Amino acid sequence: MKKILLIVALMALAIGVEAKVRLPHILCDNMVIQQQTDVRLWGWAEPGKQVKVKTSWSETTATVKADKDGRWLVKVKTPKASYEPLSITFDDGEQVSINNVLAGEVWVCAGQSNMEMPVKGFWMCPVEGYNDVVVDAKKHAGVRSVKIPSTMSATPQDDAQCAWRVCTPNTVGDFSATGYFFARKMHEALDIPIGLIEANKGGTRAESWLTKENLEKYTNDPTDSVEICKKWSQWDYHRSLLWGNGTFNPILNYTVKGILYYQGCSNVGDPGDQYSERMKLLVDQWRGQFGLGEIPFYFVQIAPYRYDDDNNAISGALLREQQFKASQIIPNSSLVCTNDLVYPYEFSQIHPTQKQQVGERLAYTALARDYGFEGLMYESPTYKDMLVKEDAIFIHLDHNYHTDAPFEDIQGFEIAGEDKVFHPAKAQHFWQPGGGYWDEAIKISSPEVKKPVAVRYCFRNFQIGNVKNGGNLPLFPFRTDKWE
């Protein structure tokens, strides 16, 4: 009899556990919710079961019914950003609560290893200033992050084992370095909580994050998981579809402000305009999946690196050119230049140590474009036009904030004649009386090229220039020719 009663009790307990509302792991204690909007909350319950959602900041109770598969999703209005701890209670007859929630700004950190790289660095790849970051971390408890485990899946996943973490001297080392430096600067500027959702994987290609439908329609990549694994049997991080299914899909219901993206190295060598077109495809896909409109997309140009074991080859330069093209065709996007953020000895280091400047440049971009800091100089200078006159080429730049620096010893330019052979060039500021458009420019010449026809700037795998604008931001690498 006692055994029967025990079995009945265990069955009742099991039924109760099964009936309890289940939340995705990303909805948990310490989370940051996007302020002053309708955020989505979701989970699972018994099919047809009514779920009530009550927040600590509102008298309103939201009610939703689980569908035939037990899924439910509800929207609740969120308060203005603050450091006041909030709570949310879910009730289908048995309550589940999450606590120490903050309202603030939430950004996604996507891409490959240079986004994944933590503040404490990778093996043989340090991050500059680590100890200072640890000491300073106690000032930034308002910064929080959640790391989505980098996993592959043959089918789109709607949950992942993860938890939000509060920034402390003991936890900051595990935050994405680029993401953290972005969040720290945002926190300093706005004095509100900043949340980071880290959904990335080292070595991934742009295609790694595309859906099956987009891969089948726009690429020749396989979409069957067996065939995918066969094609990239040696480098699993290059696999298409699977990383997006396992690592990015679980966050798509989360309400976010925008996306930060640092990727491209694994696509070096792509032909023509393939990369820029697929980047636009990916951004369109993510915006559609989040369903939040044309959210900001701010991304990072890959740094100089010795691809092809050759500093003078241009495969990396061509990918950087594609990233620049992507920034021109993707609405509400902006590209951060990093040509100056490598040391000369880092020609073989795919993970440059200077991550603070990368994250901060992303922050300046967001602050200027989305948060009213109109006085910030956040855009890097770009090539505008040129004039060939006798034995020299004269160029103008856009987004220079009235400054083309340095004043002397300008480095990074090359020119070529009709033979298409580029030679290092002397570059100098040029001006003459008259006030005409071409009375002030950068003059580029070389004694090796008597009749120049084309100019390039840092258009090699590893070439560091020194041209900057009034915001001390580097000139984007460029070429005026279209030679193969």
Side-chain angles (χ1 to χ4, degrees):
M1 184 65 180
K2 289 182 179 180
K3 289 184 178 180
I4 294 174
L5 291 174
L6 179 60
I7 292 172
V8 170
L10 290 173
M11 289 177 63
L13 179 61
I15 292 171
V17 171
E18 183 68 25
K20 189 176 182 179
V21 170
R22 182 168 71 86
L23 302 174
H25 288 79
I26 198 170
L27 300 185
C28 64
D29 293 350
N30 305 318
M31 65 188 285
V32 179
I33 53 175
Q34 182 62 35
Q35 66 162 327
Q36 295 182 299
T37 190
D38 294 326
V39 302
R40 293 173 296 220
L41 303 171
W42 72 100
W44 301 266
E46 283 188 13
K49 194 86 171 185
Q50 188 177 75
V51 179
K52 296 179 180 179
V53 180
K54 183 75 173 66
T55 66
S56 62
W57 62 87
S58 173
E59 295 298 320
T60 303
T61 298
T63 303
V64 63
K65 182 181 290 187
D67 66 16
K68 60 182 179 61
D69 297 315
R71 299 172 182 271
W72 56 266
L73 182 148
V74 68
K75 293 182 179 181
V76 299
K77 292 189 178 299
T78 52
K80 185 177 180 180
S82 77
Y83 299 109
E84 178 186 354
L86 307 171
S87 63
I88 309 172
T89 299
F90 306 85
D91 189 350
D92 69 341
E94 184 175 355
Q95 292 187 352
V96 175
S97 295
I98 54 178
N99 301 293
N100 196 28
V101 175
L102 297 182
E105 293 292 289
V106 182
W107 287 80
V108 176
C109 298
Q112 60 180 112
S113 57
N114 272 299
M115 180 60 85
E116 188 176 29
M117 187 179 189
V119 171
K120 64 185 179 185
F122 288 140
W123 182 78
M124 298 295 286
C125 305
V127 169
E128 196 170 70
Y130 168 74
N131 284 339
D132 290 335
V133 175
V134 171
V135 172
D136 178 71
K138 65 179 184 294
K139 302 176 185 177
H140 299 287
V143 174
R144 300 178 176 186
S145 81
V146 56
K147 177 69 171 80
I148 310 302
S150 300
T151 57
M152 291 181 286
S153 174
T155 58
Q157 298 300 296
D158 50 18
D159 194 13
Q161 292 282 341
C162 60
W164 283 84
R165 53 200 174 187
V166 178
C167 176
T168 70
N170 292 329
T171 63
V172 70
D174 292 320
F175 284 43
S176 158
T178 295
Y180 177 71
F181 289 122
F182 165 86
R184 186 174 74 172
K185 184 58 65 176
M186 296 282 286
H187 188 230
E188 291 172 353
L190 301 173
D191 192 19
I192 60 175
I194 305 295
L196 302 175
I197 300 176
E198 302 177 27
N200 43 57
K201 168 60 182 176
T204 47
R205 304 176 303 132
E207 293 82 358
S208 302
W209 308 102
L210 290 175
T211 61
K212 179 179 180 179
E213 293 73 21
N214 277 333
L215 287 167
E216 290 177 343
K217 187 174 181 179
Y218 297 104
T219 80
N220 292 320
D221 280 16
T223 57
D224 175 79
S225 58
V226 175
E227 294 303 315
I228 292 171
C229 294
K230 283 182 180 179
K231 181 171 182 177
W232 291 284
S233 58
Q234 187 174 358
W235 299 288
D236 64 352
Y237 42 81
H238 281 175
R239 291 172 182 168
S240 54
L241 179 64
L242 306 183
W243 293 107
N245 280 345
T247 307
F248 207 88
N249 208 76
I251 75 171
L252 292 175
N253 277 335
Y254 211 95
T255 304
V256 302
K257 175 66 173 182
I259 301 171
L260 311 174
Y261 188 77
Y262 194 166
Q263 185 275 336
C265 299
S266 292
N267 285 94
V268 168
D270 285 4
D273 290 336
Q274 178 174 294
Y275 184 79
S276 59
E277 292 169 355
R278 292 184 180 177
M279 279 306 304
K280 184 178 187 307
L281 176 65
L282 177 59
V283 175
D284 288 345
Q285 171 191 298
W286 279 347
R287 285 174 172 166
Q289 289 175 312
F290 275 113
L292 299 170
E294 203 171 81
I295 57 176
F297 180 81
Y298 303 142
F299 60 126
V300 182
Q301 193 174 53
I302 59 173
Y305 175 74
R306 188 183 61 186
Y307 297 97
D308 312 313
D309 294 324
D310 185 352
N311 291 342
N312 295 320
I314 65 170
S315 58
L318 291 171
L319 194 282
R320 286 188 282 272
E321 183 178 65
Q322 283 294 297
Q323 291 179 308
F324 186 79
K325 287 184 178 180
S327 72
Q328 295 177 308
I329 63 176
I330 299 172
N332 198 19
S333 73
S334 187
L335 180 66
V336 166
C337 181
T338 60
N339 179 259
D340 62 329
L341 297 183
V342 293
Y343 294 111
Y345 61 81
E346 290 186 306
F347 60 88
S348 62
Q349 176 55 279
I350 197 68
H351 303 119
T353 185
Q354 299 177 70
K355 288 294 184 286
Q356 178 174 338
Q357 298 91 324
V358 179
E360 289 181 348
R361 287 176 188 177
L362 286 167
Y364 296 142
T365 301
L367 289 168
R369 292 172 64 99
D370 304 299
Y371 297 95
F373 284 71
E374 297 177 359
L376 284 172
M377 301 178 184
Y378 76 93
E379 293 184 276
S380 274
T382 59
Y383 165 77
K384 183 177 182 180
D385 54 24
M386 78 173 202
L387 172 70
V388 179
K389 189 175 181 181
E390 296 177 352
D391 64 347
I393 293 179
F394 297 79
I395 69 167
H396 287 137
L397 304 179
D398 270 332
H399 309 303
N400 63 355
Y401 300 114
H402 310 293
T403 301
D404 294 331
F407 192 74
E408 302 287 352
D409 192 29
I410 299 173
Q411 300 173 10
F413 284 100
E414 298 177 286
I415 59 173
E418 292 181 352
D419 61 0
K420 302 182 181 180
V421 178
F422 282 89
H423 298 271
K426 178 182 179 180
Q428 61 191 101
H429 294 282
F430 172 84
W431 65 90
Q432 62 185 17
Y437 180 70
W438 288 103
D439 292 333
E440 186 171 349
I442 297 177
K443 179 183 178 181
I444 304 161
S445 61
S446 169
E448 304 296 326
V449 184
K450 301 303 182 183
K451 295 182 178 181
V453 298
V455 59
R456 291 180 175 183
Y457 177 75
C458 293
F459 207 79
R460 296 185 183 273
N461 280 348
F462 192 89
Q463 187 177 14
I464 305 171
N466 66 348
V467 179
K468 297 189 176 185
N469 63 12
N472 202 37
L473 297 172
L475 172 61
F476 276 108
F478 71 88
R479 59 173 175 165
T480 62
D481 63 277
K482 297 301 178 185
W483 300 331
E484 294 295 331

